[in-house]
Amino acid sequence: MKLKYLIALATLPLISACTMETMTTNQISELYSDTTSLSSNKATANYYYADGRYKSTDLETGEVTRGTWYAKEPDEICITSDKGERCFAMSKSDTMVTFELNGNKSSRKLSEYLEGDQTSELVKAAK
């Protein structure tokens, strides 16, 4: 019987580490401002300027799409480009961020957000 309780207690940190909570606009702005990340399919490098500009670079062709980004109440990041505006609901755990748009979810490790504009390095690495 004691073993049963020890096993239950041992799993508590794992359960809490996976708990997702919605992100505030401040948390979204802090995470994205002046960072680069790869798209979920790893085909584009997305750089989020600190002043709200945005660029997405196709790693194969080098084609660049430009636009803007902003955090929207209560828990969304919005990206506007010539393709229109898309807003993703955001949630996070201690190690992951999850995006949701129209019921479709995608996740990324927090460690995958790179400081500054790393686009040229990612383009070089893709070749």
Side-chain angles (χ1 to χ4, degrees):
M1 189 173 233
K2 289 180 186 178
L3 182 60
K4 179 179 170 182
Y5 291 112
L6 288 175
I7 291 170
L9 287 174
T11 60
L12 284 177
L14 296 174
I15 293 168
S16 65
C18 297
T19 302
M20 300 299 283
E21 58 186 48
T22 58
M23 293 180 72
T24 66
T25 54
N26 284 342
Q27 289 171 323
I28 293 167
S29 295
E30 286 176 19
L31 177 63
Y32 279 89
S33 185
D34 192 31
T35 63
T36 304
S37 60
L38 289 173
S39 60
S40 59
N41 65 2
K42 310 292 188 228
T44 59
N46 302 308
Y47 176 60
Y48 301 84
Y49 293 82
D51 65 6
R53 291 177 294 142
Y54 164 83
K55 77 174 175 182
S56 180
T57 306
D58 185 299
L59 295 177
E60 187 176 316
T61 67
E63 182 180 336
V64 176
T65 301
R66 296 186 184 277
T68 59
W69 74 273
Y70 64 96
K72 177 180 171 183
E73 292 287 347
D75 62 354
E76 295 181 323
I77 183 167
C78 297
I79 300 168
T80 305
S81 70
D82 58 354
K83 298 175 185 176
E85 181 175 76
R86 296 177 297 150
C87 294
F88 301 84
M90 302 285 301
S91 57
K92 72 175 187 76
S93 69
D94 291 340
T95 59
M96 300 289 290
V97 173
T98 298
F99 320 87
E100 185 174 351
L101 177 66
N102 300 328
N104 296 317
K105 289 185 178 184
S106 178
S107 295
R108 176 176 298 134
K109 292 179 184 176
L110 286 169
S111 61
E112 293 178 24
Y113 287 86
L114 308 171
E115 276 191 51
D117 187 354
Q118 302 296 320
T119 304
S120 60
E121 288 78 9
L122 292 169
V123 169
K124 287 177 197 173
K127 295 190 184 237

